Amino acid sequence: MPLVTTTEMFKKAYEGHYAIGAFNINNMELVQAITDAAAALHSPVILQASAGARNYAKPPYLKHLVEAALEDHDLLVALHLDHGADFEACKDCIDNGFTSVMIDGSQYAFDENVALAKRVVEYAHAHGVVVEAELGQLAGIEDEVHVDAADASYTRPEEVEEFVSRTGVDSLAIAIGTSHGAYKFKPEQCTRNEQGVLVPPTLRFDILEEVSRRLPGFPIVLHGASSVVPAYVKIINDNGGKLKDAVGIPEEQLRKAASLSVCKINVDSDLRLALTAGIRQHMAEHPDHFDPRQYLKDGRQNVQELVAHKIKAVFGSENKA
Ligand code: G3H
Ligand code: 13P
Ligand code: ZN
């Protein structure tokens, strides 16, 4: 089956109260692990590539890896540009087979963000491609918890209707307290449970609910939504790694977001952790091995299990393809 856009995926996800996982790819093992898991569970899936991933793997390799996965599996896949920085980056992907692009103008003033998104939407829609944009900023979220004035980084619900109607975007990423990377919260922002594990502050579901009230039926996207799975952090740290106080978004909060208007949940850090944990554990257990196929196989297996778990137990997209 050819690549699809996210239009139908999001409509069904919204109505069915589940979300589609959007997984970052940058090499063959990740593409295989994600699509093997999605195919086995009959789940739709979004494969997304950042500018960094495109630089690393080179665009033709990524494109053909995705095509290979579609040849290998009968699978519902959208190919998405993650965090497109400008019109040219989006145009390049639109011209080269992507079915969805993000134009990330979240660091600009409202009117500038609108103008940029509108320009991308006009080009994308003329080519049958859908567009995600962002209002509010994830970066610097740590400070917000302590400083009320920094609330400005959260999405302002009163801006969303005007943004969507002026730009014509197909989905909107919002900032409700998620954050990119493996260190989403500082330890002092968290509490500790009886086992001494850091418990992060709860996401701002009030903002999500107000956004959905103002944009009924409109698909919302969560970036920075890795759970920073403690089991993988532990394997890494037990095998020579040093990831101190890594903390992510608890699964039950992602489940709740998926049951509301969140139709796309972005995951990159958890894939990195799962792959690295598999490789580190393999290296530690087999210091004599030096064939990449041996340790990459273990990393890939971890990623496949992680994606399967998210599809089944967190996002709820199993059997929705
Ligand atoms: O949201 C950003 C993604 O995690 C991509 O990260 O630019 O290092 O590939 P990257
Ligand atoms: P994580 O760092 O939480 O995996 O977020 C990934 C992301 O938002 C990609 O756009
Ligand atoms: Zn992101």
Side-chain angles (χ1 to χ4, degrees):
M1 164 171 316
L3 288 168
V4 297
T5 73
T6 52
T7 307
E8 202 59 25
M9 281 185 192
F10 286 170
K11 189 171 182 294
K12 289 186 177 159
Y14 198 103
E15 287 164 2
H17 303 284
Y18 62 90
I20 315 291
F23 300 99
N24 284 73
I25 55 166
N26 55 53
N27 68 17
M28 182 187 77
E29 283 72 18
L30 289 168
V31 172
Q32 290 178 332
I34 297 160
T35 55
D36 283 358
L41 295 169
H42 308 288
S43 168
V45 72
I46 298 167
L47 298 177
Q48 57 186 12
S50 66
R54 298 183 83 223
N55 276 340
Y56 172 77
K58 296 202 215 166
Y61 288 84
L62 283 183
K63 182 179 169 188
H64 289 288
L65 282 173
V66 173
E67 279 171 9
L70 289 174
E71 208 175 299
D72 193 20
H73 297 294
D74 186 22
L75 193 59
L76 216 50
V77 182
L79 180 58
H80 175 77
L81 168 65
D82 191 28
H83 293 283
D86 49 33
F87 175 81
E88 287 68 31
C90 293
K91 180 178 182 302
D92 187 46
C93 288
I94 293 164
D95 293 346
N96 283 288
F98 282 55
T99 54
S100 173
V101 293
M102 176 192 192
I103 175 68
D104 186 355
S106 59
Q107 75 276 30
Y108 300 125
F110 185 82
D111 283 333
E112 223 174 320
N113 192 355
V114 166
L116 182 57
K118 189 170 182 322
R119 186 170 173 224
V120 172
V121 166
E122 279 164 8
Y123 189 81
H125 284 184
H127 293 79
V129 170
V130 293
V131 179
E132 171 187 324
E134 179 166 332
L135 263 184
Q137 263 192 296
L138 270 64
I141 204 86
E142 291 90 352
D143 299 331
E144 280 189 308
V145 173
H146 298 293
V147 186
D148 282 352
D151 253 12
S153 279
Y154 289 116
T155 301
R156 293 157 55 89
E158 60 274 24
E159 291 182 346
V160 297
E161 295 137 297
E162 185 185 341
F163 186 84
V164 168
S165 69
R166 280 176 63 189
T167 58
V169 293
D170 303 278
S171 61
L172 185 66
I174 63 169
I176 59 167
T178 60
S179 159
H180 288 112
Y183 304 93
K184 300 193 185 302
F185 307 97
K186 292 177 184 154
E188 56 269 29
Q189 290 176 262
C190 305
T191 51
R192 286 197 189 264
N193 68 14
E194 289 111 55
Q195 290 79 44
V197 177
L198 290 172
V199 180
T202 305
L203 297 179
R204 291 287 302 272
F205 283 100
D206 57 320
I207 296 178
L208 174 61
E209 278 163 15
E210 182 57 17
V211 167
S212 319
R213 197 186 64 74
R214 288 168 180 268
L215 294 174
F218 193 80
I220 300 301
V221 178
L222 275 194
H223 281 249
S226 278
S227 294
V228 188
V229 177
Y232 291 129
V233 174
K234 183 169 178 349
I235 293 172
I236 291 171
N237 286 338
D238 287 350
N239 290 284
K242 273 194 187 137
L243 302 180
K244 194 173 178 305
D245 295 330
V247 60
I249 311 299
E251 289 184 348
E252 60 275 14
Q253 292 185 41
L254 297 172
R255 260 180 226 117
K256 180 173 171 181
S259 76
L260 300 170
S261 56
V262 171
C263 295
K264 172 174 180 272
I265 297 187
N266 285 11
V267 175
D268 188 351
S269 297
D270 277 344
L271 305 173
R272 300 175 184 197
L273 292 167
L275 189 69
T276 302
I279 293 170
R280 274 201 181 272
Q281 189 164 14
H282 187 102
M283 295 288 206
E285 287 169 3
H286 306 279
D288 55 322
H289 282 183
F290 61 95
D291 181 341
R293 291 171 296 187
Q294 292 172 314
Y295 53 82
L296 287 175
K297 196 172 171 189
D298 284 4
R300 182 175 63 185
Q301 179 63 26
N302 271 4
V303 174
Q304 188 179 334
E305 285 167 16
L306 170 90
V307 171
H309 170 74
K310 286 186 186 278
I311 286 171
K312 277 195 288 196
V314 187
F315 304 158
S317 63
E318 186 179 7
N319 291 325
K320 306 292 188 189

mmCIF file of all heavy atoms in Angstrom, residues 27 29 235-236 239 272-286 292 294-300 302:
data_model
loop_
_atom_site.group_PDB
_atom_site.id
_atom_site.type_symbol
_atom_site.label_atom_id
_atom_site.label_comp_id
_atom_site.label_asym_id
_atom_site.label_seq_id
_atom_site.Cartn_x
_atom_site.Cartn_y
_atom_site.Cartn_z
ATOM 1 N N ASN A 27 17.486 5.287 10.994
ATOM 2 C CA ASN A 27 18.298 4.179 10.464
ATOM 3 C C ASN A 27 17.416 2.961 10.184
ATOM 4 O O ASN A 27 16.208 2.972 10.483
ATOM 5 C CB ASN A 27 19.446 3.821 11.424
ATOM 6 C CG ASN A 27 18.957 3.203 12.727
ATOM 7 O OD1 ASN A 27 17.827 2.744 12.839
ATOM 8 N ND2 ASN A 27 19.825 3.188 13.718
ATOM 9 N N GLU A 29 17.376 -0.090 11.451
ATOM 10 C CA GLU A 29 16.871 -0.873 12.583
ATOM 11 C C GLU A 29 15.592 -0.242 13.161
ATOM 12 O O GLU A 29 14.649 -0.946 13.541
ATOM 13 C CB GLU A 29 17.944 -1.002 13.671
ATOM 14 C CG GLU A 29 19.035 -2.023 13.350
ATOM 15 C CD GLU A 29 19.993 -1.577 12.254
ATOM 16 O OE1 GLU A 29 20.060 -0.362 11.962
ATOM 17 O OE2 GLU A 29 20.656 -2.454 11.677
ATOM 18 N N ILE A 235 18.664 -0.328 32.647
ATOM 19 C CA ILE A 235 19.588 -1.218 31.911
ATOM 20 C C ILE A 235 20.803 -0.424 31.443
ATOM 21 O O ILE A 235 21.952 -0.880 31.555
ATOM 22 C CB ILE A 235 18.880 -1.888 30.708
ATOM 23 C CG1 ILE A 235 17.811 -2.859 31.191
ATOM 24 C CG2 ILE A 235 19.896 -2.607 29.812
ATOM 25 C CD1 ILE A 235 16.929 -3.432 30.089
ATOM 26 N N ILE A 236 20.558 0.764 30.940
ATOM 27 C CA ILE A 236 21.680 1.594 30.453
ATOM 28 C C ILE A 236 22.620 1.917 31.612
ATOM 29 O O ILE A 236 23.840 1.731 31.515
ATOM 30 C CB ILE A 236 21.136 2.887 29.784
ATOM 31 C CG1 ILE A 236 20.430 2.532 28.466
ATOM 32 C CG2 ILE A 236 22.262 3.901 29.550
ATOM 33 C CD1 ILE A 236 19.676 3.675 27.818
ATOM 34 N N ASN A 239 24.749 -0.852 32.923
ATOM 35 C CA ASN A 239 25.757 -1.367 31.988
ATOM 36 C C ASN A 239 26.678 -0.257 31.483
ATOM 37 O O ASN A 239 26.984 -0.184 30.297
ATOM 38 C CB ASN A 239 25.060 -2.087 30.831
ATOM 39 C CG ASN A 239 24.414 -3.388 31.275
ATOM 40 O OD1 ASN A 239 25.097 -4.383 31.496
ATOM 41 N ND2 ASN A 239 23.100 -3.364 31.466
ATOM 42 N N ARG A 272 15.399 5.805 21.364
ATOM 43 C CA ARG A 272 16.860 5.887 21.571
ATOM 44 C C ARG A 272 17.273 5.084 22.800
ATOM 45 O O ARG A 272 18.287 4.392 22.800
ATOM 46 C CB ARG A 272 17.265 7.341 21.776
ATOM 47 C CG ARG A 272 16.926 8.241 20.612
ATOM 48 C CD ARG A 272 17.250 9.685 20.924
ATOM 49 N NE ARG A 272 16.844 10.562 19.832
ATOM 50 C CZ ARG A 272 17.271 11.800 19.656
ATOM 51 N NH1 ARG A 272 18.116 12.320 20.505
ATOM 52 N NH2 ARG A 272 16.861 12.518 18.634
ATOM 53 N N LEU A 273 16.473 5.211 23.845
ATOM 54 C CA LEU A 273 16.802 4.504 25.092
ATOM 55 C C LEU A 273 16.701 2.990 24.896
ATOM 56 O O LEU A 273 17.572 2.237 25.356
ATOM 57 C CB LEU A 273 15.860 4.957 26.218
ATOM 58 C CG LEU A 273 16.037 6.408 26.685
ATOM 59 C CD1 LEU A 273 14.864 6.826 27.564
ATOM 60 C CD2 LEU A 273 17.357 6.583 27.445
ATOM 61 N N ALA A 274 15.637 2.553 24.218
ATOM 62 C CA ALA A 274 15.440 1.115 24.018
ATOM 63 C C ALA A 274 16.574 0.529 23.180
ATOM 64 O O ALA A 274 17.120 -0.538 23.503
ATOM 65 C CB ALA A 274 14.087 0.866 23.348
ATOM 66 N N LEU A 275 16.935 1.229 22.118
ATOM 67 C CA LEU A 275 18.019 0.748 21.242
ATOM 68 C C LEU A 275 19.344 0.706 22.009
ATOM 69 O O LEU A 275 20.080 -0.294 21.978
ATOM 70 C CB LEU A 275 18.130 1.685 20.029
ATOM 71 C CG LEU A 275 19.057 1.244 18.904
ATOM 72 C CD1 LEU A 275 18.505 0.030 18.166
ATOM 73 C CD2 LEU A 275 19.274 2.368 17.888
ATOM 74 N N THR A 276 19.628 1.776 22.726
ATOM 75 C CA THR A 276 20.895 1.861 23.471
ATOM 76 C C THR A 276 20.950 0.816 24.581
ATOM 77 O O THR A 276 22.007 0.204 24.814
ATOM 78 C CB THR A 276 21.057 3.286 24.062
ATOM 79 O OG1 THR A 276 21.003 4.218 22.982
ATOM 80 C CG2 THR A 276 22.366 3.443 24.799
ATOM 81 N N ALA A 277 19.825 0.597 25.257
ATOM 82 C CA ALA A 277 19.794 -0.405 26.331
ATOM 83 C C ALA A 277 20.127 -1.786 25.775
ATOM 84 O O ALA A 277 20.910 -2.538 26.369
ATOM 85 C CB ALA A 277 18.425 -0.414 27.011
ATOM 86 N N GLY A 278 19.542 -2.118 24.628
ATOM 87 C CA GLY A 278 19.807 -3.425 24.019
ATOM 88 C C GLY A 278 21.276 -3.577 23.655
ATOM 89 O O GLY A 278 21.883 -4.622 23.891
ATOM 90 N N ILE A 279 21.833 -2.520 23.099
ATOM 91 C CA ILE A 279 23.240 -2.579 22.671
ATOM 92 C C ILE A 279 24.173 -2.658 23.882
ATOM 93 O O ILE A 279 25.080 -3.485 23.946
ATOM 94 C CB ILE A 279 23.582 -1.354 21.786
ATOM 95 C CG1 ILE A 279 22.802 -1.440 20.476
ATOM 96 C CG2 ILE A 279 25.088 -1.274 21.532
ATOM 97 C CD1 ILE A 279 22.855 -0.190 19.621
ATOM 98 N N ARG A 280 23.924 -1.804 24.879
ATOM 99 C CA ARG A 280 24.786 -1.806 26.077
ATOM 100 C C ARG A 280 24.735 -3.149 26.803
ATOM 101 O O ARG A 280 25.761 -3.681 27.223
ATOM 102 C CB ARG A 280 24.340 -0.702 27.054
ATOM 103 C CG ARG A 280 24.957 0.636 26.743
ATOM 104 C CD ARG A 280 24.914 1.535 27.971
ATOM 105 N NE ARG A 280 25.474 2.825 27.682
ATOM 106 C CZ ARG A 280 26.772 3.128 27.802
ATOM 107 N NH1 ARG A 280 27.628 2.225 28.224
ATOM 108 N NH2 ARG A 280 27.195 4.331 27.514
ATOM 109 N N GLN A 281 23.532 -3.691 26.938
ATOM 110 C CA GLN A 281 23.401 -4.972 27.634
ATOM 111 C C GLN A 281 24.139 -6.071 26.857
ATOM 112 O O GLN A 281 24.869 -6.880 27.429
ATOM 113 C CB GLN A 281 21.920 -5.330 27.790
ATOM 114 C CG GLN A 281 21.706 -6.530 28.680
ATOM 115 C CD GLN A 281 20.256 -6.644 29.149
ATOM 116 O OE1 GLN A 281 19.358 -5.989 28.617
ATOM 117 N NE2 GLN A 281 20.025 -7.480 30.130
ATOM 118 N N HIS A 282 23.961 -6.052 25.542
ATOM 119 C CA HIS A 282 24.629 -7.067 24.724
ATOM 120 C C HIS A 282 26.151 -6.958 24.853
ATOM 121 O O HIS A 282 26.857 -7.953 25.040
ATOM 122 C CB HIS A 282 24.210 -6.924 23.251
ATOM 123 C CG HIS A 282 24.738 -8.029 22.402
ATOM 124 N ND1 HIS A 282 23.962 -9.096 21.999
ATOM 125 C CD2 HIS A 282 25.986 -8.274 21.925
ATOM 126 C CE1 HIS A 282 24.705 -9.938 21.312
ATOM 127 N NE2 HIS A 282 25.937 -9.454 21.231
ATOM 128 N N MET A 283 26.640 -5.747 24.762
ATOM 129 C CA MET A 283 28.097 -5.518 24.852
ATOM 130 C C MET A 283 28.647 -5.983 26.203
ATOM 131 O O MET A 283 29.726 -6.572 26.272
ATOM 132 C CB MET A 283 28.409 -4.028 24.705
ATOM 133 C CG MET A 283 28.074 -3.456 23.362
ATOM 134 S SD MET A 283 29.223 -4.041 22.125
ATOM 135 C CE MET A 283 29.133 -2.732 20.941
ATOM 136 N N ALA A 284 27.862 -5.687 27.269
ATOM 137 C CA ALA A 284 28.327 -6.060 28.608
ATOM 138 C C ALA A 284 28.333 -7.581 28.777
ATOM 139 O O ALA A 284 29.236 -8.147 29.397
ATOM 140 C CB ALA A 284 27.443 -5.408 29.660
ATOM 141 N N GLU A 285 27.301 -8.242 28.215
ATOM 142 C CA GLU A 285 27.199 -9.694 28.379
ATOM 143 C C GLU A 285 28.123 -10.457 27.431
ATOM 144 O O GLU A 285 28.452 -11.618 27.673
ATOM 145 C CB GLU A 285 25.741 -10.142 28.159
ATOM 146 C CG GLU A 285 24.840 -9.747 29.332
ATOM 147 C CD GLU A 285 23.352 -9.946 29.029
ATOM 148 O OE1 GLU A 285 23.015 -10.448 27.941
ATOM 149 O OE2 GLU A 285 22.541 -9.581 29.914
ATOM 150 N N HIS A 286 28.489 -9.824 26.329
ATOM 151 C CA HIS A 286 29.335 -10.509 25.322
ATOM 152 C C HIS A 286 30.499 -9.615 24.923
ATOM 153 O O HIS A 286 30.535 -9.104 23.800
ATOM 154 C CB HIS A 286 28.499 -10.847 24.072
ATOM 155 C CG HIS A 286 27.251 -11.620 24.375
ATOM 156 N ND1 HIS A 286 27.235 -12.976 24.586
ATOM 157 C CD2 HIS A 286 25.963 -11.214 24.509
ATOM 158 C CE1 HIS A 286 25.999 -13.376 24.830
ATOM 159 N NE2 HIS A 286 25.212 -12.338 24.787
ATOM 160 N N PRO A 292 28.297 -6.062 14.316
ATOM 161 C CA PRO A 292 27.168 -5.149 14.584
ATOM 162 C C PRO A 292 25.810 -5.845 14.528
ATOM 163 O O PRO A 292 24.871 -5.445 15.215
ATOM 164 C CB PRO A 292 27.269 -4.083 13.494
ATOM 165 C CG PRO A 292 28.667 -4.152 13.006
ATOM 166 C CD PRO A 292 29.156 -5.558 13.240
ATOM 167 N N GLN A 294 25.004 -8.591 15.718
ATOM 168 C CA GLN A 294 24.676 -9.241 16.999
ATOM 169 C C GLN A 294 24.082 -8.233 17.987
ATOM 170 O O GLN A 294 23.036 -8.466 18.581
ATOM 171 C CB GLN A 294 25.929 -9.894 17.576
ATOM 172 C CG GLN A 294 26.388 -11.071 16.743
ATOM 173 C CD GLN A 294 27.744 -11.605 17.190
ATOM 174 O OE1 GLN A 294 28.674 -10.851 17.413
ATOM 175 N NE2 GLN A 294 27.847 -12.917 17.312
ATOM 176 N N TYR A 295 24.748 -7.099 18.162
ATOM 177 C CA TYR A 295 24.209 -6.162 19.170
ATOM 178 C C TYR A 295 23.064 -5.299 18.632
ATOM 179 O O TYR A 295 22.139 -4.966 19.371
ATOM 180 C CB TYR A 295 25.313 -5.311 19.808
ATOM 181 C CG TYR A 295 26.234 -4.549 18.883
ATOM 182 C CD1 TYR A 295 25.858 -3.332 18.353
ATOM 183 C CD2 TYR A 295 27.497 -5.061 18.562
ATOM 184 C CE1 TYR A 295 26.723 -2.625 17.515
ATOM 185 C CE2 TYR A 295 28.357 -4.357 17.727
ATOM 186 C CZ TYR A 295 27.967 -3.138 17.200
ATOM 187 O OH TYR A 295 28.806 -2.447 16.390
ATOM 188 N N LEU A 296 23.088 -4.999 17.332
ATOM 189 C CA LEU A 296 21.973 -4.216 16.782
ATOM 190 C C LEU A 296 20.670 -5.017 16.799
ATOM 191 O O LEU A 296 19.589 -4.462 16.932
ATOM 192 C CB LEU A 296 22.293 -3.759 15.356
ATOM 193 C CG LEU A 296 23.343 -2.642 15.255
ATOM 194 C CD1 LEU A 296 23.680 -2.348 13.794
ATOM 195 C CD2 LEU A 296 22.855 -1.374 15.946
ATOM 196 N N LYS A 297 20.809 -6.333 16.691
ATOM 197 C CA LYS A 297 19.620 -7.191 16.737
ATOM 198 C C LYS A 297 18.917 -7.047 18.089
ATOM 199 O O LYS A 297 17.690 -6.956 18.166
ATOM 200 C CB LYS A 297 20.052 -8.643 16.519
ATOM 201 C CG LYS A 297 18.943 -9.582 16.169
ATOM 202 C CD LYS A 297 19.525 -10.933 15.796
ATOM 203 C CE LYS A 297 18.425 -11.951 15.651
ATOM 204 N NZ LYS A 297 18.953 -13.298 15.508
ATOM 205 N N ASP A 298 19.721 -7.011 19.159
ATOM 206 C CA ASP A 298 19.128 -6.862 20.497
ATOM 207 C C ASP A 298 18.504 -5.476 20.668
ATOM 208 O O ASP A 298 17.436 -5.325 21.254
ATOM 209 C CB ASP A 298 20.191 -7.079 21.587
ATOM 210 C CG ASP A 298 20.515 -8.556 21.757
ATOM 211 O OD1 ASP A 298 19.976 -9.376 20.977
ATOM 212 O OD2 ASP A 298 21.300 -8.901 22.668
ATOM 213 N N GLY A 299 19.186 -4.452 20.151
ATOM 214 C CA GLY A 299 18.629 -3.104 20.214
ATOM 215 C C GLY A 299 17.320 -3.026 19.454
ATOM 216 O O GLY A 299 16.322 -2.487 19.938
ATOM 217 N N ARG A 300 17.319 -3.581 18.262
ATOM 218 C CA ARG A 300 16.115 -3.565 17.418
ATOM 219 C C ARG A 300 14.956 -4.309 18.076
ATOM 220 O O ARG A 300 13.807 -3.863 18.036
ATOM 221 C CB ARG A 300 16.464 -4.204 16.065
ATOM 222 C CG ARG A 300 15.329 -4.215 15.082
ATOM 223 C CD ARG A 300 15.771 -4.744 13.732
ATOM 224 N NE ARG A 300 16.215 -6.130 13.789
ATOM 225 C CZ ARG A 300 16.747 -6.803 12.763
ATOM 226 N NH1 ARG A 300 16.900 -6.214 11.594
ATOM 227 N NH2 ARG A 300 17.128 -8.057 12.894
ATOM 228 N N ASN A 302 14.432 -4.648 21.274
ATOM 229 C CA ASN A 302 13.911 -3.776 22.331
ATOM 230 C C ASN A 302 12.970 -2.712 21.757
ATOM 231 O O ASN A 302 11.917 -2.422 22.331
ATOM 232 C CB ASN A 302 15.068 -3.032 23.033
ATOM 233 C CG ASN A 302 15.638 -3.801 24.188
ATOM 234 O OD1 ASN A 302 15.238 -4.933 24.445
ATOM 235 N ND2 ASN A 302 16.587 -3.200 24.890
#
